[in-house]
Amino acid sequence: MQPTAAISPAEDYRPSAGDRTALLSLRGIGKAYGSTRANDNLTLDVHPGEVIGLIGANGAGKSTLMRIVCGVTRPDEGSVHWNGTALDPHRFSARAAQSQGTRIVWQELSLCGNLSVADNFYVERPELAGRRPLWRRVYHDLARASIEAIFPGAQVSTSALVADLSLAERQMVEIARVAADPSLRLLILDEPTSSLGAERSAQLRRYVRQRAAEGLATIFISHKLAEVLDVSDRVIAMRNGQIVWRAISAEASVPQMVEAMGGPGAHETPQREARSGAAATGDALVTLDRSRTTEQVGALLLRSGEVVGLAGLEGSGQRALLQALFSQPRTSGLKPGSRVRYISGDRANEGVFPLWTVLQNISIGSIAARGPFAAVRDAVERPAAASLAATLRLDENRLGSKILELSGGNQQKALVARALADDFDVLLLDDPTRGVDIGAKRDFYRLVREIAKAGRLVIWYSTEDLEFLECDRVFVFSKNRIIRELHGTDIDEDTIVASSFAEHGKTSEEPGQDGNAPRRLGPTIMKAIPFASLILVFAAMSMKNPLVASSFGLELLLAPAVPLVLIALAQMFVVGGSEIDLGAGAFAGLVNVISATLLVASPFLGAAALMAGLAGYALMGILIQARAIPAIVVTLGASFIWIGTGQTLQASPGGSSPEWLTALFSWSIPGLPTPLALILLAAAAALFVDGSALGTILRGFGANASALTRAGWSPVRYAVYRYAIACIFAMVAGLYVTATNNASDINASSSFTLLSIAAVVMGGCQLLGGMIAPAGVVAGAVTLSLIGALLASLGVSTDVNAAVQGGLLILILGFQALLVRRHRNA
């Protein structure tokens, strides 16, 4: 093979179309992070209808360049032209890039796990919603059609939460969501097939070629070099922030691409050790019973010293086996006392600690194995981490960097280093080389062989069938069972692919992607917990005193619950942004004081004071987002302001309620107690907001704020919306207290803050991740409010009210945790 010739970064290949204007032109692009030159004098033209394959080792500068093209990162040097027009770097943003037709599928997926598939399509294309009352139907239809157009037969449920999808399904949704834009002119795919099986990858490449014929330009970034050659018109290689090689795909080869990425000699393939196919003789560390195998295979013993591959179509049960071996060692067949390490390919959700450095991410495994009071010092951990980093070709100088500052492939190297940092018997690999360059893959293969030689068992699942050639044995999965076992020299790509499709057929859908699969009971039971708790408490009270169920009894019981319900709903919307408001109760108390004093003496001044409170809440949202101040700090400080202002206005309890305010909360509906009606109205209002387009974006920010920001949504604006909505609910609570008590006390609502957080948790919300449940929060708040009355009816002192509320909360949380664990392991 002829050595690859490096070229000047200023050179550029132009297709035979001649002098037509490039869709995208980059000239002299440079970007530095400190002393690191991520991009250095890069020049590139992209023409309509062409597919460019962009390759390079991890950290070569590909992702930085794409962030510049997408308006997420501003270059330090150079110019960007779109259709021959220079773009103003100071005004070019993610939203501007999208408006001109540039879309990217990020390597680390930018979906919101707490939203449905259809809602994630709304995040990308909000303009389709318009003012339709049934706007979600548009996005269900769009999602279904878009996924089917690219991945026929996938049948991903558009109603499913993204968090409940497999990694391959999430990747398909991400690709289909971006490609659905009719104004799309430049599609950037960053490692789009890293989690896809062979069939889905082939479908994507067919779609890219089809769209190219229609004039769509595509930049295809992948470490799967054969796929790059198959789909692209020309290939560009980057190294050390520069473009070092360009070629027409039809004239290029994988060895040339490898050498371009890694330098002279990088294309030389290390000789594999011959696999004899002889049965391993080490100790049996894992025993798989017949429930995981077909009758033809029978029970299987996995022994020390061997590398066992788990093949088959994505979602056929391979990951389920790995997770069972790791999380359920007693029942999964693992030998008692065996030490297990797990390397996940899903870096974002199961791998990295995003706020930690690379060194801390690598060292945490070995640190956790020590005593609870063992000293932890970076200087002590660094030598071992540096040695592992060198083995994996991870730059030692990056150990002090935040883990998310690294490329996806280098993040994966850090996870591998973490698993190898201390001793173990069994190593579980869940697609560990996803998004890793070919040089790092070779180093990893060598490591795996060394680990097996040292007497350990390696169980390896991969979406790349070629990697199974590194294994001693391969189990082919289908429909959650092992249907074939391959040994030594019998292992080859064709046999694995043929076996994988043996039962499904090439036109059938992949397992784990059936949109009509039966729903698991775990999430449904979790949603029912707050309502079951409310029913039990109310039933106990009704049995003790049947008058409780009367209209008059409900009026008395539910009147004290109304303010807690309203403040809990206010807290819920803040929690929906993965934040907590420590001043919600205090603000309701301030509104109570203002409405009982200023609103009576001077209605105009009182109304102005309430509007100032609303402005104060909006300002909190701005401070939290624009100044990056933690919400817990801002809201705690605000709580002191609310209390201090209230005490200044009214030093001791007193005041009165305006007549119109009393009338506002004293209306009645025949047969329906007013407090119950108010609770139902509050629940309906919260459900309406949460189900609206606004509520969808608010929850999206709670799950994946960076993805929403990259999609062009303003984090500051939606923080203001969030806190304004919370303020309105808390304000109504304060007004209600004034109307019903005909007086005010700044301290009367102080307990509501912590109770509101308890109600939110009881209601099924998660403090992180943007998962909220308005109806459940209402049920949880009413339950907590009724506990005092229940204790009184049982003759128990209300002094233990708080203890009983806390005990009930802990009981419910424990039950929820049990259900979550069973749901994940199902």
Side-chain angles (χ1 to χ4, degrees):
M1 189 199 79
Q2 294 295 322
T4 303
I7 66 170
S8 166
E11 294 180 38
D12 195 15
Y13 161 79
R14 293 186 179 274
S16 58
D19 297 328
R20 59 176 174 166
T21 301
L23 180 67
L24 173 71
S25 291
L26 305 176
R27 290 292 179 268
I29 295 295
K31 181 66 181 178
Y33 295 99
S35 60
T36 302
R37 294 284 296 177
N39 288 160
D40 186 9
N41 193 26
L42 287 169
T43 293
L44 174 66
D45 285 341
V46 181
H47 293 79
E50 72 169 332
V51 181
I52 293 179
L54 182 59
I55 62 174
N58 298 128
K62 306 185 299 297
S63 296
T64 298
L65 183 62
M66 293 305 103
R67 286 196 295 268
I68 290 172
V69 170
C70 294
V72 176
T73 298
R74 183 181 299 173
D76 298 330
E77 305 150 4
S79 61
V80 180
H81 293 73
W82 182 262
N83 255 357
T85 302
L87 301 176
D88 183 349
H90 298 286
R91 295 185 178 181
F92 188 55
S93 63
R95 181 63 80 181
Q98 291 177 9
S99 66
Q100 70 187 15
T102 299
R103 289 288 191 276
I104 183 170
V105 174
W106 301 94
Q107 181 179 0
E108 299 299 336
L109 303 184
S110 58
L111 300 172
C112 296
N114 64 331
L115 302 183
S116 70
V117 171
D119 285 347
N120 272 277
F121 271 73
Y122 166 73
V123 169
E124 186 72 20
R125 295 193 59 199
E127 71 279 1
L128 296 180
R131 299 185 181 275
R132 298 181 178 91
L134 300 177
W135 60 275
R136 273 195 173 84
R137 182 177 299 171
V138 175
Y139 292 98
H140 281 285
D141 294 340
L142 175 64
R144 194 175 299 110
S146 300
I147 295 171
E148 182 66 21
I150 304 175
F151 304 104
Q155 295 188 6
V156 177
S157 171
T158 59
S159 300
L161 290 183
V162 166
D164 292 335
L165 302 179
S166 70
L167 189 56
E169 287 173 322
R170 278 179 265 161
Q171 194 152 36
M172 287 189 284
V173 170
E174 175 90 336
I175 294 168
R177 183 180 71 153
V178 170
D181 186 355
S183 64
L184 184 63
R185 301 182 67 188
L186 172 61
L187 174 61
I188 302 171
L189 300 173
D190 192 352
E191 296 291 347
T193 64
S194 60
S195 298
L196 300 182
E199 181 187 21
R200 298 304 182 203
S201 176
Q203 289 174 339
L204 174 61
R205 297 197 303 276
R206 283 196 295 270
Y207 177 81
V208 169
R209 289 194 293 269
Q210 172 191 331
R211 292 298 302 273
E214 299 169 359
L216 176 66
T218 302
I219 299 177
F220 192 95
I221 305 171
S222 179
H223 291 303
K224 298 180 179 181
L225 302 184
E227 291 183 355
V228 174
L229 280 182
D230 175 68
V231 74
S232 62
D233 299 308
R234 56 183 175 126
V235 182
I236 295 173
M238 290 183 63
R239 189 166 70 241
N240 298 327
Q242 295 182 322
I243 293 176
V244 296
W245 181 78
R246 310 173 199 257
I248 299 173
S249 298
E251 301 172 359
S253 65
V254 170
Q256 286 178 318
M257 296 163 71
V258 173
E259 183 173 326
M261 292 167 58
H267 68 278
E268 297 175 4
T269 304
Q271 189 173 2
R272 285 195 183 94
E273 296 181 7
R275 303 298 188 194
S276 65
T281 58
D283 295 337
L285 297 179
V286 174
T287 302
L288 301 182
D289 59 32
R290 296 177 68 88
S291 66
R292 294 192 182 274
T293 66
T294 61
E295 294 182 2
Q296 290 79 9
V297 176
L300 295 169
L301 298 179
L302 282 60
R303 301 182 179 276
S304 61
E306 64 176 341
V307 181
V308 178
L310 308 181
L313 299 180
E314 203 281 332
S316 295
Q318 306 96 317
R319 283 194 170 100
L321 173 59
L322 292 177
Q323 291 167 357
L325 289 170
F326 185 70
S327 62
Q328 305 172 52
R330 295 182 180 179
T331 59
S332 60
L334 187 69
K335 181 181 177 181
S338 297
R339 297 161 297 179
V340 182
R341 296 293 175 268
Y342 187 100
I343 300 177
S344 174
D346 189 357
R347 292 183 290 273
N349 294 316
E350 300 178 353
V352 301
F353 294 94
L355 301 180
W356 291 6
T357 65
V358 178
L359 175 60
Q360 291 167 334
N361 268 271
I362 292 175
S363 304
I364 182 60
S366 56
I367 291 172
R370 303 174 196 162
F373 301 106
V376 178
R377 295 192 300 274
D378 285 355
V380 175
E381 311 300 333
R382 191 177 185 90
S387 176
L388 289 166
T391 302
L392 295 165
R393 297 189 185 181
L394 177 61
D395 187 358
E396 181 183 350
N397 295 324
R398 301 304 302 274
L399 291 178
S401 302
K402 296 294 184 184
I403 187 72
L404 294 186
E405 294 177 6
L406 272 60
S407 66
N410 282 332
Q411 291 177 32
Q412 194 67 22
K413 292 180 184 180
L415 296 185
V416 173
R418 177 199 301 168
L420 303 180
D422 61 336
D423 203 8
F424 57 88
D425 301 302
V426 180
L427 181 62
L428 306 176
L429 305 176
D430 183 358
D431 208 8
T433 60
R434 185 175 73 87
V436 175
D437 64 69
I438 191 167
K441 285 182 180 181
R442 289 172 174 171
D443 292 336
F444 180 73
Y445 301 156
R446 175 179 50 79
L447 270 177
V448 168
R449 289 194 293 270
E450 292 175 357
I451 290 168
K453 281 182 178 180
R456 284 122 173 192
L457 169 63
V458 179
I459 305 177
W460 185 352
Y461 165 62
S462 175
T463 53
E464 296 186 52
D465 293 332
L466 187 64
E467 293 193 324
F468 292 121
L469 300 181
E470 305 291 334
C471 299
D472 301 295
R473 285 192 288 168
V474 173
F475 299 148
V476 182
F477 278 71
S478 177
K479 298 179 180 178
N480 296 307
R481 303 187 78 188
I482 299 170
I483 59 171
R484 187 169 182 186
E485 179 180 359
L486 303 175
H487 296 268
T489 54
D490 294 332
I491 301 171
D492 64 74
E493 245 186 310
D494 292 339
T495 303
I496 292 172
V497 171
S499 300
S500 299
F501 286 103
E503 292 191 14
H504 296 283
K506 290 190 177 183
T507 59
S508 67
E509 65 191 47
E510 293 185 27
Q513 297 170 1
D514 181 4
N516 301 313
R519 299 180 65 183
R520 296 171 181 167
L521 292 178
T524 303
I525 295 175
M526 287 180 62
K527 292 178 182 178
I529 288 177
F531 302 98
S533 302
L534 175 59
I535 291 171
L536 287 174
V537 170
F538 187 76
M541 296 177 66
S542 299
M543 291 175 63
K544 186 69 177 178
N545 184 359
L547 292 178
V548 165
S550 67
S551 179
F552 178 71
L554 289 174
E555 182 95 24
L556 291 177
L557 285 174
L558 294 180
V562 174
L564 178 56
V565 167
L566 290 165
I567 295 174
L569 290 173
Q571 188 73 252
M572 179 194 72
F573 282 104
V574 176
V575 168
S578 295
E579 298 168 352
I580 290 179
D581 182 1
L582 292 181
F587 181 77
L590 174 59
V591 172
N592 178 208
V593 169
I594 291 173
S595 58
T597 55
L598 294 182
L599 209 56
V600 176
S602 176
F604 178 79
L605 182 59
L610 293 178
M611 290 302 98
L614 179 61
Y617 251 78
L619 179 61
M620 286 198 305
I622 295 174
L623 287 174
I624 290 166
Q625 286 298 325
R627 306 302 299 173
I629 304 175
I632 196 170
V633 174
V634 174
T635 58
L636 179 61
S639 71
F640 296 134
I641 297 175
W642 309 143
I643 294 173
T645 304
Q647 290 175 339
T648 301
L649 291 174
Q650 187 184 59
S652 59
S656 62
S657 172
E659 291 184 5
W660 64 266
L661 183 60
T662 302
L664 183 64
F665 289 99
S666 60
W667 52 266
S668 62
I669 300 175
L672 183 65
T674 300
L676 178 58
L678 291 172
I679 290 172
L680 292 177
L681 282 174
L687 284 167
F688 174 78
V689 173
D690 182 51
S692 68
L694 171 62
T696 300
I697 298 302
L698 290 176
R699 283 185 284 116
F701 269 106
N704 196 340
S706 61
L708 269 292
T709 303
R710 286 191 308 215
W713 299 92
S714 169
V716 175
R717 178 185 301 172
Y718 281 87
V720 170
Y721 291 156
R722 181 186 312 285
Y723 280 88
I725 292 169
C727 176
I728 291 171
F729 277 95
M731 187 177 291
V732 175
L735 294 173
Y736 175 84
V737 172
T738 301
T740 54
N741 293 342
N742 198 32
S744 63
D745 180 1
I746 187 61
N747 297 311
S749 302
S750 58
S751 64
F752 284 150
T753 296
L754 295 181
L755 282 175
S756 69
I757 297 173
V760 165
V761 175
M762 281 182 60
C765 303
Q766 296 179 10
L767 296 181
L768 295 174
M771 299 292 289
I772 63 175
V777 169
V778 170
V782 174
T783 302
L784 290 173
S785 179
L786 292 180
I787 286 179
L790 174 62
L791 293 176
S793 68
L794 296 175
V796 179
S797 172
T798 55
D799 292 341
V800 300
N801 190 8
V804 175
Q805 289 173 331
L808 178 61
L809 176 61
I810 292 173
L811 180 64
I812 290 174
L813 287 176
F815 189 51
Q816 287 178 342
L818 179 62
L819 289 174
V820 168
R821 182 175 179 180
R822 290 187 175 181
H823 174 63
R824 288 176 177 173
N825 294 331

